[in-house]
Amino acid sequence: ATILHNSIKHSQATSVKIEIKKTDKKLLLSVTDNGIGFDYKKAIREKSGIGLGSISNRTKIAGGKMYLRSFKDKGTEYLFEIPSTS
């Protein structure tokens, strides 16, 4: 929900794509938007990325990994790998 909120409120995205895949060992979730992008390191450093920190922490608690790529005027892509429990 935080990622969708950020895409709507901050990125000026007109499109958000969500993909979920499950393998034997993990759940893969990707969220991609076509917004204005942002500087992740700068957002964390300036504490303007409180939602991003929360997303990262929740991913770690689930035993997963979060990858993020963002490009100026080309959007943002989040990828989550969460270990499967079944």
Side-chain angles (χ1 to χ4, degrees), residues 7-78:
S7 291
I8 293 166
K9 184 175 180 181
H10 302 294
S11 80
Q12 302 172 20
T14 58
S15 175
V16 178
K17 180 179 175 182
I18 300 170
E19 292 183 288
I20 301 172
K21 296 179 184 176
K22 186 176 185 302
T23 68
D24 290 338
K25 298 185 180 189
K26 58 186 144 183
L27 177 69
L28 303 171
L29 169 66
S30 71
V31 181
T32 307
D33 71 44
N34 67 346
I36 61 173
F38 67 98
D39 183 335
Y40 175 73
K41 290 180 183 178
K42 181 180 178 184
I44 294 297
R45 185 174 56 248
E46 294 178 355
K47 306 271 190 224
S48 62
I50 293 170
L52 293 172
S54 177
I55 294 167
S56 178
N57 287 337
R58 284 184 268 163
T59 303
K60 288 177 186 174
I61 289 169
K65 296 178 183 177
M66 177 180 96
Y67 304 94
L68 186 144
R69 297 186 316 168
S70 189
F71 303 99
K72 183 170 174 49
D73 299 323
K74 294 187 179 182
T76 301
E77 177 182 17
Y78 298 85

